[in-house]
Each structure stands twice: as C-alpha cells, then as structure tokens.
Amino acid sequence: ELQQKVEETELLKMELQMLETERVRLSLVEEKLMDVLQLLQQLRDLNISKRALGKILLSTLESCRDPQPGKAHLFEVLDTLYHELTACELLQSQPLEKAQSRQALSNPLVISC
C-alpha cells in the first residue's frame, strides 16, 4: 500500500510538472498574441488598408505553411505575424515618441472579467 502511494505521488508530481510547462507555454502565447493585437490596433489607428493587411496575413500564413519540427505551430504563426507587422512601412514611418505615448496609455485590448 505504501508503494502504491509513492507511485501515485510520483504520478501527481509528473502531472503537476506537465501542467506547469503548459501554463508557461500558454503564457508565452498570450504575450505574443497581445503584442500582435497591439500592433494591429496601431495599424488600424494609422488607417492601414485592408489589402495591405491581407497581404501581411497571407505572407505570414505562406511562410508558416509547413510547421517546423519541435516548435509550437501556433506560436510560430504568431511570432511570424508579429515580425511581419513590425516590418510594415506605416509603423516604420510613425514617429517613435508618438508610438511610445500611445503604448503608455491604458491598453484597450485588455478585457477585465
């Protein structure tokens, strides 16, 4: 009976470790998603055309068509989209202090429950 309890404890420890790993992964995805949403918000404020935004999205999806082994596909797509958005000419031509002051305001993308 003691051996069974030890085995159950080990199993629970492994499950806890897996849950913690998943929590960290989800936290990273959430951070990247928030970064992408903030960039999209900035581009919307700069009146990016739907065509330009569509090209960015299609370019992202095209470059992530074949998932890389060992890398979470969702995170890979978000990361690629983030880099595509940061390379957007509208954001590059925006004055730095204007972009920083906008980011300093409260985040309109955060939803409180």
Side-chain angles (χ1 to χ4, degrees):
E1 194 173 308
L2 183 60
Q3 179 65 27
Q4 185 180 2
K5 293 288 184 190
V6 168
E7 289 173 5
E8 286 177 16
T9 303
E10 288 300 315
L11 228 143
L12 288 172
K13 283 181 182 178
M14 286 175 49
E15 282 185 45
L16 184 61
Q17 187 176 10
M18 288 174 22
L19 285 172
E20 181 63 22
T21 302
E22 185 66 11
R23 186 194 65 77
V24 169
R25 187 187 72 77
L26 288 173
S27 180
L28 292 172
V29 168
E30 180 184 26
E31 285 178 27
K32 188 57 73 173
L33 182 59
M34 288 302 296
D35 291 343
V36 166
L37 290 173
Q38 286 175 343
L39 288 171
L40 288 170
Q41 182 76 37
Q42 287 177 10
L43 287 170
R44 188 189 75 179
D45 292 344
L46 294 171
N47 295 322
I48 188 171
S49 72
K50 290 179 182 179
R51 171 173 273 179
L53 195 56
K55 285 181 181 179
I56 292 171
L57 184 58
L58 288 175
S59 171
T60 298
L61 294 175
E62 181 66 29
S63 64
C64 295
R65 182 186 310 175
D66 300 320
Q68 295 179 3
K71 200 172 184 186
H73 188 63
L74 175 62
F75 188 80
E76 181 184 353
V77 171
L78 283 173
D79 192 47
T80 303
L81 180 57
Y82 174 80
H83 290 294
E84 291 278 339
L85 291 170
T86 55
C88 181
E89 291 177 11
L90 275 176
L91 286 177
Q92 299 297 322
S93 64
Q94 183 182 20
L96 183 60
E97 61 276 354
K98 188 176 180 183
Q100 287 174 339
S101 69
R102 231 184 233 153
Q103 238 177 5
L105 299 174
S106 66
N107 187 347
L109 300 173
V110 174
I111 300 171
S112 89
C113 298

